[in-house]
Amino acid sequence: MAKKKLKNFSIDRLINGERIEKYDYIITKQDPLSFVTESFQKVIINLDYANVDGDLKVIQFTSTLPSEGKSTFVSNLSYLLGQRGKKVIVIDLDLRKPKMNRVFGSPNKDGLTDYLSGKVSLEKAINHSEDLGIDFMTSGEKTSAIINVLEAKKLQDLIAQLKEEYDYVLLDTPPVIAVSDALYISKLADGVIFVVAQGKAKKSVVREAVSNLKNHGINIIGLVLTQVDLKSGVYGYGQNYAYYSDDDDDDDIK
Amino acid sequence: MNEQNNDTQNEISLVDLYHIIRKNIVLIFAFTTLVAILAGVYAFVIADAKYASNADVMVQVEVDTAVEGSFDYSTAQKLLTTIAEYMSKDIVLDEVILDLDLDRTASNLRSNLTVTSSLTSYFINIKFIDEDPLVARQIVNSVIENAIDIANGNPAFTSLKDKITRTSFAQPGLYESPNKPLYLVIGIILGGIIGVGFVFIKEFLNNSYKTKEQLEAAFDIQVLGVIPTFEVKEDF
C-alpha cells in the first residue's frame, strides 16, 4: 500500500533493538492536493454529519481481515482532524500486530501496556508527533494476557480520561474475524468505523464480521471502502465522486 | 435475507461484464494466443499431412427384358450397395496387401478407405487417404483391380460376375488434411472462449465488495468514504 523507506536510523534505536522502518502512510500530508486527500476530507465531512451532537469521541477502527488499510486510514484521518484544529490522540489497540509505531516512526516502547502495568506514567506513554501535530500511544510491550488488558478497569478509566482531554480518541484495533479483541474494545468506544478494502474479503465474511458487531449491539458509524483501484473501471471517473449527494447520511445512522 | 437479495441484484450488469472483460483483456489475449499457437503447432508441425486418391467403377445393372429400358429397381439397389461393401471386405483387402506387399492389416486399410455409392447413379467412388500420395494411388488401383478379379474369377461371387467395370484410374493423392487455416481459426475462437470463460469464473469466484453502492445495499449502513489506493503518487 504505502512505499517503504528506511529513515531516522539511529544508534539509539539499534541499542533498543528496534528496527524502524518509516512508512509513508501519511499521504494526506505529503500530497495535500491529491484526490486521495480529497477523499479523506470527504470522510471527515461525513463524520461531522454523523456526529452532529458531538457524542462520538472515542472511535474504533476495525475491518474484516488484516491489512485492509485500517492503520493507513486512521493515521491519515487523525492528521487531517489535527489540521482542522481538533485535539486528537491515536491509540494502537492492536496488541498482537502493532503498527502505529511504524506509522509514526517511533519505537514501540513505553506504550499502552506499559502504562497499564504501571511501568510508566501516562505522560510518558503519550507521545506527540511534531510531524503530524497529533498525540499517539503505541501498544507497548507485548503481552499474552491480551483479553485481560482489554477488559482492565484501568483501560476504561484511561479512555474516559482521554475522552475529557481530547476531541477525538481514535482506536486502531485488530480485524474482527481473526480474534475477538475488536468486540472487547468496542465496549470502550462510542462507535465503530468499519474498513472494507475493495475486492479483498469475501462478501460472506464481511457480512459475518458486520453482523457479529451488530449482534453485540455495537454502534457502527459507517463503512469505508479503501484501496479502491481507480483504474479498475468501477470508479473509472473518480472525480465524479465529488458530486455524490450526502443528503441522506443522517438517516442511515443506527 | 433481504441483504442477500440486494446483493445478487446488484451483481451483474452489462457494464460490469464490459469492465470485467476490459480489466482482464491481457489475460484473454494471452489465452487466445496460447490456444491458437497450440492449434497452429499441431496443424503445422505435429499432424502428418494426409493425401487422398480416388477412382470410380461402374456397376452393370441388367436391364429387364420384359419392359424395354427398365430394370428391377430393388435388385439394382442391392447390387450397388453389395458391391460398395464388397470393395472393403477382407477378401479384397487381403489380396491388396499381398499384391503390394504392405505391412498393414485389412482393418487398418479399411479405416482409411471410403467407398461411396449413390442411389441415383451406377458409379461407385473409391477413396483412400494416406500419408504418401503415391501409396494412396497404388492402393486405390489395387483395390479396384483385385475386386474385379475376385468377382470374375471366384465362383462364390457369381452374382457379381462381370458387374464391375473400371471407369477411371487413381492419380497421385491430393492434399487432404490437416486444414491449417481452419485449425488456426478454431484455435483462436476456442482460445477466446476459454479466456473469457476463465476471466468470468475468476471474477465471480472473487465474490467481494467492489463499490460503495454494493456496500450500502448490503448493510444499510452509510459509507463514509471511498479511499483510492495510493501505491503510486498521483500527479496533480
Side-chain angles (χ1 to χ4, degrees):
Chain A
M1 180 110 196
K3 278 193 290 180
K4 215 159 62 166
K5 255 192 215 167
L6 263 173
K7 235 197 240 174
N8 303 339
F9 186 76
S10 73
I11 300 295
D12 178 42
R13 283 179 183 127
L14 255 185
I15 293 165
N16 283 326
E18 281 283 348
R19 196 166 56 100
I20 300 300
E21 282 174 346
K22 169 87 171 155
Y23 287 74
D24 291 335
Y25 286 108
I26 317 298
I27 180 136
T28 46
K29 181 168 188 286
Q30 289 166 357
D31 224 341
L33 295 177
S34 72
F35 181 61
V36 180
T37 309
E38 185 61 28
S39 313
F40 275 105
Q41 296 283 13
K42 255 174 275 167
V43 173
I44 291 183
I45 292 167
N46 284 338
L47 193 58
D48 280 345
Y49 274 111
N51 193 17
V52 272
D53 296 333
D55 52 3
L56 300 174
K57 297 187 81 177
V58 184
I59 302 175
Q60 179 193 354
F61 296 82
T62 191
S63 63
T64 317
L65 303 174
S67 58
E68 290 202 67
K70 279 185 304 294
S71 299
T72 313
F73 184 78
V74 175
S75 47
N76 278 286
L77 196 69
S78 63
Y79 167 73
L80 287 180
L81 284 170
Q83 290 296 298
R84 294 178 148 227
K86 305 281 187 194
K87 201 155 180 264
V88 182
I89 183 165
V90 178
I91 303 177
D92 194 351
L93 276 174
D94 192 340
L95 303 179
R96 296 168 201 266
K97 286 181 180 166
K99 211 172 179 187
M100 274 303 151
N101 48 312
R102 288 192 290 176
V103 173
F104 290 106
S106 117
N108 186 18
K109 59 179 276 221
D110 298 343
L112 181 72
T113 51
D114 301 296
Y115 163 73
L116 291 179
S117 62
K119 279 187 204 152
V120 294
S121 66
L122 185 59
E123 289 70 37
K124 190 129 191 263
I126 294 176
N127 303 294
H128 181 74
S129 167
E130 292 295 337
D131 219 15
L132 305 176
I134 55 168
D135 290 350
F136 66 96
M137 207 185 240
T138 59
S139 66
E141 197 187 353
K142 284 212 172 179
T143 168
S144 51
I146 287 170
I147 302 300
N148 295 3
V149 169
L150 296 179
E151 284 197 312
K153 178 80 171 62
K154 201 171 176 188
L155 180 61
Q156 276 179 24
D157 294 343
L158 170 68
I159 302 283
Q161 188 190 338
L162 294 175
K163 201 170 165 179
E164 298 299 316
E165 291 176 26
Y166 289 89
D167 295 318
Y168 283 104
V169 181
L170 307 180
L171 311 176
D172 188 21
T173 61
V176 175
I177 287 298
V179 286
S180 52
D181 298 11
L183 295 174
Y184 289 100
I185 296 166
S186 55
K187 288 178 195 153
L188 308 167
D190 297 326
V192 172
I193 289 181
F194 196 84
V195 176
V196 181
Q198 186 190 39
K200 206 147 202 174
K202 288 219 168 87
K203 283 184 180 176
S204 54
V205 187
V206 179
R207 271 199 291 266
E208 191 190 324
V210 171
S211 63
N212 208 346
L213 291 175
K214 277 184 176 172
N215 290 344
H216 283 77
I218 291 159
N219 171 28
I220 302 177
I221 304 167
L223 307 169
V224 180
L225 188 62
T226 58
Q227 302 178 2
V228 173
D229 182 5
L230 289 181
K231 280 170 272 163
S232 73
V234 183
Y235 288 103
Y237 304 95
Q239 270 71 358
N240 289 349
Y241 235 76
Y243 301 109
Y244 265 71
S245 157
D246 294 311
D247 288 346
D248 55 353
D249 278 351
D250 288 358
D251 301 337
D252 290 345
I253 299 165
K254 293 217 163 154
Chain B
M1 283 303 100
N2 191 25
E3 292 177 1
Q4 279 178 351
N5 287 345
N6 278 338
D7 264 359
T8 40
Q9 274 171 19
N10 291 339
E11 210 100 72
I12 307 165
S13 77
L14 267 183
V15 183
D16 287 346
L17 295 186
Y18 166 73
H19 284 307
I20 290 170
I21 290 178
R22 205 184 65 172
K23 199 170 82 182
N24 295 289
I25 197 75
V26 178
L27 199 63
I28 294 173
F29 268 121
F31 264 102
T32 311
T33 320
L34 185 74
V35 178
I37 287 174
L38 284 180
V41 166
Y42 176 77
F44 285 90
V45 184
I46 296 173
D48 292 317
K50 297 259 172 96
Y51 300 87
S53 184
N54 66 81
D56 296 309
V57 294
M58 193 180 152
V59 175
Q60 305 296 328
V61 179
E62 263 175 69
V63 176
D64 197 331
T65 44
V67 184
E68 202 185 324
S70 76
F71 56 90
D72 182 346
Y73 182 75
S74 73
T75 311
Q77 209 177 8
K78 268 183 205 149
L79 191 62
L80 268 163
T81 332
T82 308
I83 289 175
E85 258 180 60
Y86 157 74
M87 291 288 207
S88 58
K89 288 294 181 205
D90 283 0
I91 190 163
V92 177
L93 297 182
D94 284 343
E95 286 299 318
V96 172
I97 292 167
L98 276 178
D99 267 12
L100 300 177
D101 197 16
L102 293 171
D103 187 20
R104 304 189 195 187
T105 62
S107 63
N108 177 287
L109 282 189
R110 196 176 299 122
S111 63
N112 291 316
L113 183 72
T114 322
V115 183
T116 335
S117 66
S118 143
L119 291 179
T120 51
S121 79
Y122 299 141
F123 288 101
I124 292 176
N125 183 271
I126 295 103
K127 175 173 153 190
F128 192 83
I129 297 171
D130 195 83
E131 284 159 26
D132 187 336
L134 297 175
V135 170
R137 174 175 74 164
Q138 272 186 327
I139 290 175
V140 170
N141 284 335
S142 173
V143 165
I144 294 173
E145 210 172 284
N146 281 295
I148 294 174
D149 283 356
I150 293 165
N152 294 346
N154 192 327
F157 292 99
T158 43
S159 60
L160 298 181
K161 197 172 190 308
D162 296 331
K163 292 287 193 301
I164 308 168
T165 316
R166 181 196 279 278
T167 53
S168 70
F169 281 89
Q171 298 304 310
L174 297 171
Y175 186 85
E176 170 84 4
S177 70
N179 189 337
K180 290 169 186 172
L182 187 69
Y183 268 90
L184 271 186
V185 169
I186 289 176
I188 289 169
I189 293 173
L190 203 65
I193 292 171
I194 293 174
V196 171
F198 178 81
V199 161
F200 278 128
I201 289 172
K202 180 180 142 236
E203 203 64 30
F204 290 127
L205 286 183
N206 177 9
N207 186 16
S208 58
Y209 290 102
K210 303 213 174 53
T211 65
K212 175 185 171 170
E213 287 72 20
Q214 286 176 348
L215 275 178
E216 279 175 340
F219 295 112
D220 201 22
I221 300 173
Q222 71 162 325
V223 174
L224 292 170
V226 175
I227 313 294
T229 181
F230 45 89
E231 255 170 319
V232 185
K233 266 193 190 177
E234 294 183 327
D235 296 317
F236 270 92

